[in-house]
Structures are given as structure tokens and as C-alpha cells.
Amino acid sequence: EAQVTQNPRYLITVTGKKLTVTCSQNMNHEYMSWYRQDPGLGLRQIYYSMNVEVTDKGDVPEGYKVSRKEKRNFPLILESPSPNQTSLYFCASSGTGLVHVYEQYFGPGTRLTVT
Amino acid sequence: ELKVEQNPLFLSMQEGKNYTIYCNYSTTSDRLYWYRQDPGKSLESLFVLLSNGAVKQEGRLMASLDTKARLSTLHITAAVHDLSATYFCAVLNAGGTSYGKLTFGQGTILTVHP
């Protein structure tokens, strides 16, 4: 089954404790992206990757890191989480074909609470 | 900086009625996407609009794109309760060094009443 998986689905942590949210897709997609969703603000892109070893900042990259060492995986790293990073996080992937980004497939979401 | 605005943000409709959600964006782009999100769920792709004048239809939903006006519309025909959800448009950065950057609208919360 074609899917995007994220782990963990729920996480409660404390300020400053490094964490990683994993994202994996099995559709051989070139494009992967991370978003955060906050009430009243819609979705905001954190980082995206057009292909392996190619990453770029979205609209809200501060406090986050990513890496794309393999095509299927795109982990999101919070080196020193703060309460303002409490949010619902979505990973997504898409084929690109001729550099067009097509429809994105979204993961189930990770609800992160930083206390 | 690309800005995307949807309106209305809240839409309460009666079953059987028609309505349109608007998505305006601030800079040139010819790639626009519509997504649906049910409460507590992830996002589901509805339409990908890849060129000026593109029109796509699926069931009671029809989306169109006017790149000259920087406007996309999502038209709902004869609404049914199952269409109750939040609808997002998203616009792809047109090029340069930020190709691949996506900006979402705030979302339109649609509620369909009997």
C-alpha cells in the first residue's frame, strides 16, 4: 500500500530535549516536505526536499533541522525544542516528473507537546 | 513573499445549495492545489491545477485556475453533509531559488446543514 508513515504519532517532551520525528514514504517520490499546523494559521511549510541531499527552507524553518540521505526518509530534528514548537506536524511526499510538483500524499500527523 | 488568502474562512451551507470558495495569491504561479481535511485527520489531495484556465471536476466539486487574476475557485454544487470538512488551497513558488516552496491558505471550514 502506498503510504507516508510518521513516528511517533504523539509525543510529549520537555524544553531542550532533542527529538527526531521520522518520515518515510514507499512511493519512490522525489519531493518531501514538512509542515506544521496551528489553529487559525493553516499549514506552514518548515523544510522541503526536491531530492536526495537537496533540502531548502520553507516559511518557518527556525528551530528545525532536516536531512535527506535516502530517497524514502526525511526526518525532522528539533535540537532544542521550545513550547512554541507545540503543534501538529505533517510530512508529505510527491512525485515531480519534469520538475512539476504533483499532488502530495500526507502522513497521519505527529502531535507534539513541549512543556 | 508569496501570500495566499482564502475566503470565506467559515462557510455554513444548507444541503442542496451551491457555493464557491476563493483562493487569491500574491505572486506569479501556475501550480495550485486543493486539499481536504476532515476533523482529526490528515490532508487528502483533491485537485492539482497546472496551467492557466485549468478546470477539474470530481463529483460535486469543481476547481478552476486563472493565473492572470491569481485566483482559484472551488465550486460546490448541491452540497451534501459528507462535504463538511476544512478545505485548503496551496500555491507553489513559481521558480528561482525557492522552487518547491509551497504556501497554504488559512483554510475554509465548511459545514453543511440539513
Side-chain angles (χ1 to χ4, degrees), chain A residues 31 37 45 99-101 107, chain B residues 31 33 37 42 99-102:
Chain A
Y31 183 91
Q37 184 174 25
Q45 192 175 43
V99 305
H100 298 323
V101 177
Chain B
R31 306 280 182 267
Y33 312 83
Q37 185 179 35
S42 186
Y99 188 85
K101 189 173 175 184
L102 258 165

Side-chain angles (χ1 to χ4, degrees), chain B residues 2-9 20-27 31-35 49 63-67 69-75 87-92 103-108:
Chain B
L2 175 59
K3 293 193 188 310
V4 181
E5 290 190 353
Q6 285 180 238
N7 70 82
L9 299 183
T20 301
I21 299 171
Y22 297 89
C23 175
N24 289 89
Y25 55 98
S26 62
T27 63
R31 306 280 182 267
L32 192 136
Y33 312 83
W34 284 96
Y35 293 92
L49 302 169
S64 66
L65 177 61
D66 182 344
T67 58
R70 296 178 188 165
L71 171 69
S72 179
T73 60
L74 181 66
H75 187 72
Y87 293 84
F88 292 96
C89 65
V91 181
L92 185 70
T103 302
F104 277 73
Q106 312 97 304
T108 297

Side-chain angles (χ1 to χ4, degrees), chain A residues 20-37:
Chain A
T20 299
V21 184
T22 63
C23 173
S24 183
Q25 50 94 4
N26 63 1
M27 295 168 278
N28 202 37
H29 283 164
E30 294 84 4
Y31 183 91
M32 296 186 75
S33 183
W34 276 104
Y35 302 91
R36 59 178 289 173
Q37 184 174 25

Side-chain angles (χ1 to χ4, degrees), chain A residues 12-54:
Chain A
I12 301 174
T13 190
V14 296
T15 298
K17 186 176 180 185
K18 181 179 177 179
L19 66 92
T20 299
V21 184
T22 63
C23 173
S24 183
Q25 50 94 4
N26 63 1
M27 295 168 278
N28 202 37
H29 283 164
E30 294 84 4
Y31 183 91
M32 296 186 75
S33 183
W34 276 104
Y35 302 91
R36 59 178 289 173
Q37 184 174 25
D38 302 290
L41 296 177
L43 276 83
R44 293 178 291 169
Q45 192 175 43
I46 303 171
Y47 271 96
Y48 62 96
S49 169
M50 295 295 287
N51 215 323
V52 175
E53 302 292 0
V54 180

Side-chain angles (χ1 to χ4, degrees), chain B residues 72-90:
Chain B
S72 179
T73 60
L74 181 66
H75 187 72
I76 302 154
T77 302
V80 294
H81 179 71
D82 285 353
L83 290 179
S84 297
T86 300
Y87 293 84
F88 292 96
C89 65

